[in-house]
Amino acid sequence: MKITTLLVLKSTGRTVANRTPQGQRQSIQHEEYKVHAYNRNGICVVGFMDDHYPVRSAFSLLNKVLDEYQQSFGESWRTVQEDSTQTWPYLNDALMKFQDPAEADKLMRIHRELDETKIILHKIIDSVLARGEKLDSLVEKSSNLVHRHRCSTSKRKKPT
């Protein structure tokens, strides 16, 4: 990513964060990205996502990042006077892990698992129905054989 792009993202992120009231969440379209912001008790987290990333998952992700940040750093952010370039391993891991929105949103993950389960159940039901049709066919053939056998047996028993 170019330095100018980073500066634009940083500037946009700051602007959105400053305009997000405490206790509020908001989403803003910025060029090809959706900028999601969540201000919780004065600390604001901002994420840039593409239009296809579900809003619910985006805010779930931002909430997790805030929880983890406060657990790792507590209230130390209140005394910060300038930007820090310190790396935070959790953030790098989260960026990789949450590329899939279902990882950020438990409900979405459950829906996806339910959809997969439905597909499996439909396949099982189809195979059971197919077996049922085969059984019906076998029963019919068996009945036909029994009927033929009875007919042929009764013909043989008749005196000529």
Side-chain angles (χ1 to χ4, degrees):
M1 202 179 275
K2 297 179 190 174
I3 291 178
T4 54
T5 304
L6 286 174
L7 290 174
V8 169
L9 291 176
K10 191 175 185 180
S11 171
T12 303
R14 274 204 175 118
T15 301
V16 172
N18 287 331
R19 293 180 181 171
T20 304
Q22 212 173 85
Q24 297 286 315
R25 299 172 186 200
Q26 69 174 335
S27 299
I28 297 168
Q29 187 71 39
H30 175 72
E31 296 174 5
E32 71 267 20
Y33 298 104
K34 278 271 189 179
V35 183
H36 303 285
Y38 178 32
N39 184 335
R40 186 170 69 193
N41 300 324
I43 184 169
C44 190
V45 63
V46 177
F48 289 76
M49 284 103 174
D50 66 21
D51 282 333
H52 302 293
Y53 203 89
V55 174
R56 180 184 169 92
S57 297
F59 284 114
S60 182
L61 165 60
L62 295 179
N63 198 41
K64 286 178 185 186
V65 170
L66 269 174
D67 288 343
E68 189 65 31
Y69 183 87
Q70 288 187 314
Q71 188 175 28
S72 298
F73 302 104
E75 298 292 313
S76 64
W77 61 271
R78 292 188 186 274
T79 59
V80 173
Q81 298 295 317
E82 59 187 40
D83 288 347
S84 171
T85 57
Q86 176 183 0
T87 58
W88 183 30
Y90 173 81
L91 190 57
N92 294 330
D93 294 342
L95 287 173
M96 295 306 295
K97 180 180 179 182
F98 298 125
Q99 291 296 313
D100 177 7
E103 287 296 320
D105 187 355
K106 290 180 185 177
L107 187 60
M108 179 180 272
R109 185 171 52 241
I110 290 168
H111 278 284
R112 185 171 62 187
E113 289 170 3
L114 283 173
D115 288 343
E116 290 169 0
T117 303
K118 278 194 242 176
I119 291 169
I120 292 168
L121 285 174
H122 282 286
K123 287 180 181 178
I124 291 170
I125 290 169
D126 288 343
S127 69
V128 167
L129 289 173
R131 275 189 243 140
E133 288 173 6
K134 289 177 186 174
L135 283 175
D136 288 345
S137 174
L138 286 173
V139 167
E140 186 179 327
K141 288 178 184 177
S142 174
S143 295
N144 289 341
L145 284 173
V146 169
H147 180 67
R148 281 190 216 152
H149 176 70
R150 285 185 185 154
C151 287
S152 66
T153 306
S154 65
K155 285 180 185 178
R156 275 188 263 158
K157 288 183 179 178
K158 289 184 181 177
T160 38

